Amino acid sequence: MIKIAKTFKFSMGHTLWKYEGNCHNFHGHNYRLEVILEGRIDSDTDMVLDYAEIKKIMEPIIDKYDHKFAISKHDKRLAFLQQADRHAGSDSLHIMETDPTAESISGEILAYIIMALMDLGFRDTLIPHVRLWETDDAYVETF
């Protein structure tokens, strides 16, 4: 088995409604996402997967987060933000089932990657992992 990886960057704001402390406030991060795929070398291509294919898979996923504001559907401030978003004529909210912690964001991204790989026929041949850096010195890794 061989691991390959490609890195992506996106900027996103969020708030943690369950958290008591600074992260309860609206704030943002410049995230770095490492997408790691583990698999065998394809004898037809001599690659695990073409990096261009990884980029094609990831672009619509990154678009769900880049320059968005993530918030839990349970956060009492959501209705206000939805009203402001409609008034501004924008689509800037990314509404999540849970608090948008680094752990839940990385889990959601991994689920999107798994679905995309299944759609392309890589269900049993590639094992994805993600490493999401929220800051320069803190990341979460999801398998």
Side-chain angles (χ1 to χ4, degrees):
M1 296 290 265
I2 293 179
K3 290 182 183 179
I4 61 171
K6 185 153 178 63
T7 302
F8 302 88
K9 295 180 180 178
F10 62 94
S11 299
M12 184 179 73
H14 72 147
T15 180
L16 304 180
W17 74 281
K18 293 180 185 177
Y19 188 81
E20 293 182 25
N22 285 339
C23 292
H24 180 78
N25 298 327
F26 297 163
H27 66 287
H29 301 280
N30 292 314
Y31 291 90
R32 187 172 84 230
L33 175 68
E34 297 173 30
V35 176
I36 304 148
L37 297 173
E38 186 175 338
R40 299 198 186 286
I41 295 175
D42 182 322
S43 61
D44 292 336
T45 63
D46 292 328
M47 292 185 263
V48 173
L49 187 65
D50 189 336
Y51 289 111
E53 192 69 27
I54 299 171
K55 183 178 178 184
K56 196 175 357 174
I57 291 167
M58 291 307 300
E59 282 177 344
I61 296 171
I62 296 297
D63 285 346
K64 295 176 184 297
Y65 300 92
D66 193 30
H67 288 82
K68 302 287 184 175
F69 188 83
I71 186 167
S72 168
K73 72 176 190 176
H74 304 289
D75 193 313
K76 294 175 180 150
R77 300 166 291 178
L78 176 59
F80 172 77
L81 290 175
Q82 287 174 314
Q83 182 179 7
D85 211 33
R86 278 192 301 274
H87 181 72
S90 64
D91 182 26
S92 64
L93 296 178
H94 180 77
I95 301 168
M96 298 182 63
E97 292 288 323
T98 62
D99 239 355
T101 61
E103 293 87 345
S104 61
I105 295 165
S106 68
E108 190 176 83
I109 290 170
L110 181 61
Y112 286 132
I113 293 169
I114 290 169
M115 287 187 287
L117 290 173
M118 287 174 60
D119 288 346
L120 293 171
F122 293 111
R123 178 183 179 139
D124 297 321
T125 57
L126 293 174
I127 301 167
H129 314 265
V130 295
R131 182 178 294 144
L132 181 65
W133 293 83
E134 189 173 72
T135 63
D136 289 338
D137 61 357
Y139 71 85
V140 60
E141 193 164 356
T142 307
F143 300 87

